[in-house]
Amino acid sequence: MKTYRSIRDIAASLLALCIGMTTTSAHAAEADVETPANAIVVTGAGLESGPAEPAYDVTVLDRAEVTTSASGRIEDVLSSVAGFQQFRRSDSRSANPSAQGVTLRALGGNASSRALVLLDGVPVGNPFFGYIPLSALNPERLASIRVVRGGGMGAFGTGAVSGTIDLTSAGPDEIGTLQASALVDQRGETQVSATTAPRLGDGFMMASVQWDRGKGFWTTPRDQRVPASARAGYESWSAALRAVAPLTDTVEIQASGLAYDDNRTLRFEGADSSSSGQQASLRLVGRGDWQFDVLGYAQAQNFSNVVISSSRFKKVLDQAKTPTLAVGGKAEIRPPVGDAHVLRLGADVRLTEGHLVEMPYSTVSGLPTAFRRAGGDQSDFGLYAEDDWTLGAFVLTAGVRADRWTIRNGFYRELDATGTVSENTAFPDRSDWNVNARGGVVWHASDMLSLRAAAYTGMRLPTLNELYRPFVVFPVVTQANAALKPERLRGYEAGIEVRPSDAILLSLTAFDNRLKDAIANVTVDTNLRQRQNVDAIRARGIEATANASLGQWNFIGSLAWTDSKVEASGSQAALDGMRPPQVPKLAASATLAWAPRPGWRLAGTVRHVGAQFEDDQQTDVLPAATTLDAYALVPLAGPFALVLRGENLTDETIITRNQAGSMDLGLPRTLWAGIKLDL
């Protein structure tokens, strides 16, 4: 396909350019080592968020909160944020990667992400499926995480229909010369990582690797195991390289690269899945009178999966590969329009092409019965403008975004076992413009009290996976739907923040979101579902957070209560008023940490997730679960420290899948011990 080749060529060029720029930046920085008097401070981050961003529900996690979770995994860290949810309760050691969609505001219901996840400004979601490669996002590399709930604006706003999760990489101030750790748990599983961020002249570099490996735990309940049952074994690695250097006293260049590979086995021997990818980006950030942020990136990702029959325990489907390419970028400028205004003008683009290759197998002969290919490409070009206006104690914000999107070259082709074409369908191309807006106000009533309100709209395109790729979670088959319409969001919210002192912050937000034409997996027959647009998902609720730092003690708490319902009519009328699958009414988290001396940290975390439904018919329930985690960092000699971690210490039974009584379980009690080096 011509589009595939053009995207591939652009991606290859950008990847090569990033590698060359990384080397050039390092050499240039080394050349400046002898002139520290001319040193310029670089941040490695993008432009600061506007003064009106607090009009929306915002949570910021600092490095201490990010790097001291009981599991050392990014999804565990984000679970402390009110409203954050994965499609399933499994973490990235025991879930199928394609189920790792993340969302906010209880707008879930299928495995695609409805929240935009950015790493240093680059969208990291798999372009074909919409899942997030969670195992590739090592918390040790991060300085902070910023979560903004509600319909997004700015660059890549079409992915932020429920909000934005912005990950910022750490630099020399947070990492230093070297940070490394090696841990082992009671099952013999290991987690090893090392990160270095040396200063090189006026700039710096960051290099990081992580390797996780384990035989896993039994996801199948004991009374449902058969000889073919297998532990949830996993092995994953990721590597990141980043260089930041100044070009002038106000302009810096950032070059980044990320590569990862993740392999898992789920439920049965041979039920193996893999997720791999490489991405590179170049970014120019200017902080002069005319501020700007220009970014370009390329991504290549792949996914494979083998489905094993739960009755014959033989391979029934080999999803051999799903190669996907994406290139994109943004350009934003902030002209000097006075101290009272922060005006953002920008454009962004994202081009995606992907297809699947799969073969169904006979459980009798063990031979393939067909050969299938399906896929297509998408594009989105956006223009946006937003202004924050400070008027005394009030900060007003308003923005508009226009998107031109296309869905093109969709196809489904199948050959039978003899090589004869049994189906060859080309789906019609589609394109349109979509305009969204948002606005809000913050009133700083006093040093202790702030009030805020906001309204917004948003959009999400169906993924190539939803459009063209059927899938099986045996025995349930879910069909694709090439006629899916984009989802459209309308939302309102109001909140209050109380800061009795510099050490205490309390926040409460009430919201009402409606996702029109929400894409759901709708039951159409026994063990048969299809992706369809329902009339809407309506989510109304409250989100509360509390932060307190009192001497050696620190407390972080969050709670999300949401009444989320499907609005449906016609052939889907039976779904009207039901809760979307996998969406709990209540989720809460509380972490209490104690640092009795410098370098020490002792922390405990309690989390509760309410009952959820497995399916759209509300026939299978996932019971509520409450877990207790713990973390301890105890200095030893010199730069070494002892790390102790405990996950699910009470050994709570966590049901992650329930299809007519056939169940998968989540992580049991897991105890880790290891050494951390900090130079």
Side-chain angles (χ1 to χ4, degrees):
M1 298 171 65
K2 291 183 178 179
T3 303
Y4 180 90
R5 288 195 296 269
S6 63
I7 293 179
R8 180 190 62 195
D9 294 342
I10 294 171
S13 298
L14 186 52
L15 284 166
L17 184 57
C18 283
I19 293 171
M21 185 58 70
T22 301
T23 305
T24 301
S25 299
H27 289 171
E30 288 175 345
D32 289 340
V33 170
E34 297 180 358
T35 57
N38 298 325
I40 301 171
V41 176
V42 297
T43 69
L47 296 177
E48 295 290 331
S49 57
E53 188 181 58
Y56 310 97
D57 196 0
V58 179
T59 295
V60 179
L61 303 178
D62 62 25
R63 181 166 172 81
E65 298 162 354
V66 171
T67 59
T68 58
S69 72
S71 69
R73 294 181 175 269
I74 195 70
E75 62 270 28
D76 186 24
V77 174
L78 289 168
S79 294
S80 297
V81 176
F84 173 82
Q85 181 197 349
Q86 296 184 83
F87 177 64
R88 292 196 180 276
R89 297 172 175 182
S90 307
D91 70 10
S92 56
R93 291 165 288 194
S94 59
N96 189 290
S98 64
Q100 290 179 177
V102 303
T103 191
L104 300 162
R105 291 277 163 87
L107 290 175
N110 69 21
S112 294
S113 293
R114 289 186 168 107
L116 174 65
V117 181
L118 301 172
L119 175 61
D120 298 319
V122 178
V124 298
N126 180 281
F128 189 94
F129 293 89
Y131 69 77
I132 307 302
L134 297 172
S135 63
L137 304 176
N138 181 5
E140 296 292 336
R141 302 171 189 152
L142 301 179
S144 65
I145 300 175
R146 190 178 192 88
V147 180
V148 182
R149 305 167 188 85
M153 283 288 295
F156 315 117
T158 52
V161 75
S162 72
T164 302
I165 301 172
D166 194 355
L167 313 177
T168 300
S169 290
D173 292 339
E174 297 87 3
I175 297 171
T177 304
L178 176 67
Q179 289 189 359
S181 63
L183 295 99
V184 62
D185 70 7
Q186 82 271 26
R187 293 185 293 270
E189 297 158 354
T190 56
Q191 187 178 89
V192 180
S193 68
T195 304
T196 181
R199 295 189 182 277
L200 300 173
D202 293 331
F204 67 86
M205 291 189 69
M206 187 276 287
S208 177
V209 294
Q210 176 172 293
W211 178 41
D212 297 341
R213 184 179 184 181
K215 64 181 180 181
F217 58 91
W218 290 103
T219 59
T220 307
R222 184 179 297 276
D223 61 356
Q224 296 183 10
R225 294 176 199 164
V226 297
S229 295
R231 291 174 177 267
Y234 63 94
E235 182 172 10
S236 65
W237 64 265
S238 66
L241 179 64
R242 197 159 184 258
V244 179
L247 296 181
T248 71
D249 57 348
T250 60
V251 179
E252 68 182 59
I253 187 168
Q254 305 169 10
S256 301
L258 174 68
Y260 62 89
D261 186 71
D262 188 344
N263 297 276
R264 307 176 197 175
T265 299
L266 301 176
R267 195 171 176 85
F268 298 117
E269 293 287 350
D272 301 327
S273 64
S274 70
S275 172
S276 61
Q278 307 83 40
Q279 71 179 44
S281 65
L282 278 175
R283 190 179 195 182
L284 289 174
V285 179
R287 295 184 172 83
D289 292 337
W290 285 78
Q291 297 185 13
F292 59 85
D293 190 341
V294 180
L295 169 73
Y297 68 88
Q299 295 171 323
Q301 298 190 25
N302 194 21
F303 169 81
S304 69
N305 185 58
V306 175
V307 179
I308 300 295
S309 166
S310 61
S311 57
R312 292 179 176 268
F313 312 113
K314 294 183 179 180
K315 180 166 58 177
V316 292
L317 182 64
D318 184 358
Q319 297 167 324
K321 58 181 179 179
T322 316
T324 307
L325 287 171
V327 297
K330 72 167 186 178
E332 177 178 309
I333 190 168
R334 301 184 183 182
V337 290
D339 293 340
H341 289 270
V342 176
L343 176 62
R344 303 170 59 196
L345 304 172
D348 61 75
V349 65
R350 183 171 173 86
L351 310 173
T352 301
E353 197 282 343
H355 68 272
L356 67 90
V357 176
E358 66 178 25
M359 294 163 287
Y361 276 73
S362 168
T363 58
V364 177
S365 67
L367 298 174
T369 60
F371 178 83
R372 302 169 183 158
R373 292 183 70 246
D377 61 73
Q378 294 179 319
S379 70
D380 181 78
F381 172 70
L383 298 168
Y384 61 92
E386 190 165 34
D387 183 55
D388 293 353
W389 185 14
T390 302
L391 285 170
F394 291 88
V395 184
L396 309 177
T397 183
V400 63
R401 179 182 170 94
D403 287 273
R404 172 66 175 179
W405 58 265
T406 68
I407 300 174
R408 302 174 60 248
N409 299 324
F411 73 97
Y412 182 92
R413 180 179 176 87
E414 181 172 327
L415 309 179
D416 63 21
T418 66
T420 302
V421 176
S422 56
E423 184 175 348
N424 190 8
T425 304
F427 301 107
D429 295 345
R430 292 185 283 159
S431 62
D432 202 356
W433 280 94
N434 187 277
V435 178
N436 291 288
R438 74 174 184 176
V441 58
V442 182
W443 176 33
H444 299 292
S446 68
D447 292 340
M448 294 177 52
L449 177 66
S450 294
L451 303 175
R452 50 187 166 80
Y456 39 79
T457 63
M459 179 194 75
R460 183 183 76 92
L461 285 178
T463 64
L464 296 174
N465 175 54
E466 292 168 322
L467 291 166
Y468 307 125
R469 174 186 171 265
F471 72 95
V472 179
V473 178
F474 201 83
V476 179
V477 176
T478 302
Q479 299 173 332
N481 185 352
L484 290 171
K485 296 181 288 187
E487 298 176 337
R488 292 178 293 163
L489 176 77
R490 180 229 62 206
Y492 313 95
E493 64 183 70
I496 180 172
E497 289 190 359
V498 180
R499 191 182 293 273
S501 68
D502 292 340
I504 300 175
L505 174 64
L506 307 174
S507 174
L508 180 68
T509 302
F511 63 89
D512 184 337
N513 285 185
R514 186 174 187 269
L515 188 66
K516 184 178 179 182
D517 295 322
I519 298 171
N521 298 331
V522 177
T523 299
V524 296
D525 205 343
T526 303
N527 290 333
L528 180 63
R529 298 172 187 163
Q530 185 187 41
R531 297 184 180 99
Q532 296 180 4
N533 295 105
V534 299
D535 291 346
I537 291 176
R538 181 79 176 271
R540 291 175 286 188
I542 58 172
E543 293 166 343
T545 61
N547 290 268
S549 296
L550 303 173
Q552 300 172 346
W553 296 89
N554 179 260
F555 174 80
I556 302 172
S558 69
L559 180 145
W561 180 89
T562 311
D563 180 20
S564 185
K565 293 181 179 179
V566 175
E567 296 178 359
S569 59
S571 63
Q572 303 168 346
L575 302 179
D576 191 55
M578 291 189 175
R579 198 191 318 167
Q582 308 293 333
V583 173
K585 278 191 174 182
L586 177 66
S589 173
T591 298
L592 181 63
W594 180 41
R597 298 177 183 177
W600 287 65
R601 183 177 175 89
L602 306 174
T605 299
V606 177
R607 289 200 180 97
H608 176 81
V609 178
Q612 302 163 252
F613 292 106
E614 172 72 36
D615 62 329
D616 61 323
Q617 303 292 311
Q618 297 191 357
T619 55
D620 299 317
V621 177
L622 306 175
T626 302
T627 59
L628 172 63
D629 296 341
Y631 176 92
L633 180 67
V634 180
L636 297 175
F640 294 97
L642 173 68
V643 179
L644 301 174
R645 304 191 319 209
E647 302 181 71
N648 191 10
L649 289 175
T650 59
D651 206 21
E652 175 85 337
T653 298
I654 305 168
I655 298 176
T656 63
R657 184 187 66 87
N658 179 12
Q659 291 181 327
S662 174
M663 297 182 182
D664 285 339
L665 303 178
L667 186 77
R669 181 189 295 116
T670 302
L671 305 176
W672 294 86
I675 297 296
K676 182 175 183 179
L677 170 67
D678 190 350
L679 295 177

